[in-house]
Amino acid sequence: MQNEVNGMVNIAILGFGTVGSGVAEVLTKNSGLIDGRVNNQVRLKYIMRARDIFEGPYKDLFVKDFSTIEHDPEVGIVVETIGGVGAALDYTTRALKAGKSVVTANKELVATHGYELLQLAKEHGVSYLFEASVGGGIPILRPLNACLAANEVDQVTGILNGTTNYILTRMIKAGLTFEQALKEAQDKGYAEKDPTADVEGHDACRKICILASIAFGRHVYPRQVPTEGITGVTLADVAYAESCNRKIKLLGRAVKELDGKICAYVAPHLIDAEAPLAGVEDVFNAIMVKGDAIGDVMFYGRGAGKLPTASAVVADVMDAARHIRSRKRVEWGPGGEDVTVSPEGVPFRWYVRCAGTAEKVRAAGLDAALLSRPGAPADEVAFLTRAMPRGELMSALSGMELGSLFRVLE
Ligand code: HSE
């Protein structure tokens, strides 16, 4: 039984950065419609922040010590916007154990500890909700869990990171180098000062783990998902892709193989320029789900930003408030080494750029379709292969100096 006091559900926000302040803003600004839609009064009672400066419209709500929230029986829902897996894991665990529902946008925490936290929520009859952790404001986890529940899902493929999609879009459309496009993304406030988590694919990896866990019902951990970012993508690759009517996109994919195991990975891909995902540009995200009844369905929108993310967090708060006397059921099974299969053994078509000549490629017996680009140096060759496992390709290429190696999405 959760905490509802005199027909009122009290909320505590942990952290007051971009997402936390956005959540406070939406809860306050749309308070009337939120109460009406929840059929209960949803009140922001506390905001926990590390800093001592308590000023502005919420100054009476600020607290520094989590135990004030933990031990207040009036608090029914805790919104964790701290991020990471340190304090966020500690506070989430304590809040669930104290019988409070928890809502978060923290993809790292859900990707690494989602199974145990969902189990804890179940044990204590409360909700643990995280719609905003994937795709920011795009509704994807709830549709996957509920609206597509009648489907056997075969695969989930997504452009899951806005920063890298912005960088690739600027390389493709404006001819900027990776470094120039990254600098522009930083100047516009899309990319962090330390862009590692985005450009190396870690952010997309956490998101595909969450999507795979929901879609296939077993926890998939980041360590089971080989991850490659976009730092190796060059303007030469962009030009070769264009020459065969394709675009380079960073995709997170989780595919159910014939033996039922999940093949999940994050990597740059060449995709058909006419494909729906190719039209997803700038900081937008999109997730394509393939189900046996529905076929392909695509979810598209803003994957980050203060208010889009707050929109998803507050919707989860409202859902938790509606289920304050019960529990919003979200769960999946435990992870394990038997859950996934490495993409290494799975055949894909490949795009290859390497030092060499067309003769060498022909001699390698790769049955390759050669590509060309204006201004290519004489000792550079690029081509598309037939479907083959990476190991087979690497053996055929032995002795040739590799530039880029990306999958081709069929
Ligand atoms: N940094 C992420 C992105 C947003 O660029 O998509 C939060 O996941």
Side-chain angles (χ1 to χ4, degrees):
M1 173 78 170
Q2 297 186 44
N3 310 347
E4 180 190 19
V5 179
N6 300 329
M8 188 184 283
V9 182
N10 287 285
I11 315 295
I13 300 175
L14 313 183
F16 200 60
T18 307
V19 179
S21 59
V23 171
E25 187 180 326
V26 173
L27 278 174
T28 310
K29 186 164 122 319
N30 293 348
S31 151
L33 76 84
I34 289 169
D35 290 355
R37 288 174 187 172
V38 170
N39 201 19
N40 212 333
Q41 199 183 332
V42 176
R43 184 180 67 145
L44 180 54
K45 184 165 185 185
Y46 298 114
I47 298 172
M48 192 190 93
R49 72 186 307 194
R51 288 170 58 192
D52 278 321
I53 308 157
F54 292 174
E55 284 168 353
Y58 306 108
K59 69 176 188 321
D60 296 337
L61 308 185
F62 286 122
V63 292
K64 269 194 85 171
D65 187 356
F66 178 67
S67 55
T68 307
I69 294 164
E70 183 182 19
H71 299 302
D72 183 341
E74 289 194 351
V75 174
I77 302 170
V78 171
V79 180
E80 182 269 299
T81 71
I82 298 169
V85 291
L89 174 59
D90 179 32
Y91 298 152
T92 300
T93 304
R94 284 163 59 187
L96 294 172
K97 284 184 175 169
K100 302 174 194 311
S101 288
V102 176
V103 171
T104 190
N106 186 340
K107 53 211 145 268
E108 188 177 359
L109 188 58
V110 180
T112 49
H113 296 280
Y115 173 70
E116 65 197 72
L117 292 171
L118 285 168
Q119 288 297 109
L120 201 56
K122 186 176 175 182
E123 255 171 57
H124 292 271
V126 293
S127 308
Y128 182 49
L129 302 177
F130 37 85
E131 178 65 60
S133 65
V134 179
I138 306 172
I140 172 62
L141 301 187
R142 195 172 273 95
L144 196 52
N145 205 26
C147 316
L148 299 178
N151 285 261
E152 184 77 53
V153 173
D154 300 322
Q155 62 170 283
V156 182
T157 296
I159 294 175
L160 302 171
N161 183 268
T163 301
T164 46
N165 202 41
Y166 181 83
I167 292 170
L168 290 173
T169 302
R170 296 296 288 156
M171 291 175 73
I172 294 166
K173 291 182 94 168
L176 301 187
T177 63
F178 169 79
E179 289 75 16
Q180 289 167 334
L182 170 59
K183 168 85 175 47
E184 193 178 272
Q186 285 171 323
D187 291 345
K188 284 180 175 269
Y190 299 146
E192 308 273 344
K193 210 165 144 204
D194 176 0
T196 311
D198 290 324
V199 299
E200 297 293 357
H202 306 311
D203 176 76
C205 169
R206 291 163 188 151
K207 291 167 178 168
I208 198 65
C209 286
I210 299 170
L211 288 165
S213 302
I214 291 189
F216 303 119
R218 297 283 302 270
H219 194 113
V220 173
Y221 291 97
R223 64 179 157 73
Q224 296 174 296
V225 179
T227 294
E228 184 188 336
I230 62 163
T231 52
V233 178
T234 67
L235 287 175
D237 299 318
V238 168
Y240 282 124
E242 192 181 355
S243 77
C244 58
N245 201 31
R246 289 178 167 88
K247 286 185 184 171
I248 301 180
K249 293 285 183 189
L250 181 70
L251 301 181
R253 299 192 73 208
V255 180
K256 195 164 198 177
E257 296 296 324
L258 289 177
D259 60 1
K261 293 195 177 183
I262 304 161
C263 174
Y265 62 94
V266 173
H269 286 70
L270 266 65
I271 68 175
D272 191 309
E274 311 305 323
L277 284 173
V280 178
E281 296 187 329
D282 297 322
V283 288
F284 282 86
N285 286 194
I287 300 111
M288 182 84 90
V289 179
K290 192 187 272 292
D292 63 349
I294 194 163
D296 284 334
V297 56
M298 189 164 102
F299 301 83
Y300 169 86
R302 290 189 183 278
K306 180 174 172 169
L307 293 180
T309 307
S311 153
V313 172
V314 175
D316 272 353
V317 168
M318 292 167 70
D319 215 2
R322 281 190 205 101
H323 290 84
I324 201 75
R325 295 199 184 120
S326 53
R327 171 177 89 93
K328 174 82 181 179
R329 191 174 171 275
V330 177
E331 56 191 74
W332 57 65
E337 297 319 309
D338 60 320
V339 174
T340 54
V341 61
S342 162
E344 282 299 304
V346 177
F348 294 97
R349 280 193 81 195
W350 297 92
Y351 156 80
V352 183
R353 178 176 56 80
C354 60
T357 58
E359 288 65 42
K360 269 194 172 174
V361 173
R362 272 189 215 104
L366 281 167
D367 191 18
L370 292 168
L371 303 174
S372 61
R373 70 172 176 107
D379 64 346
E380 178 182 271
V381 66
F383 54 91
L384 304 180
T385 71
R386 60 179 162 76
M388 59 175 70
R390 187 204 290 258
E392 190 183 322
L393 174 64
M394 294 311 283
S395 309
L397 291 178
S398 66
M400 289 166 83
E401 193 191 324
L402 201 56
S404 293
L405 179 62
F406 304 141
R407 292 174 180 84
V408 179
L409 188 71
E410 306 272 25

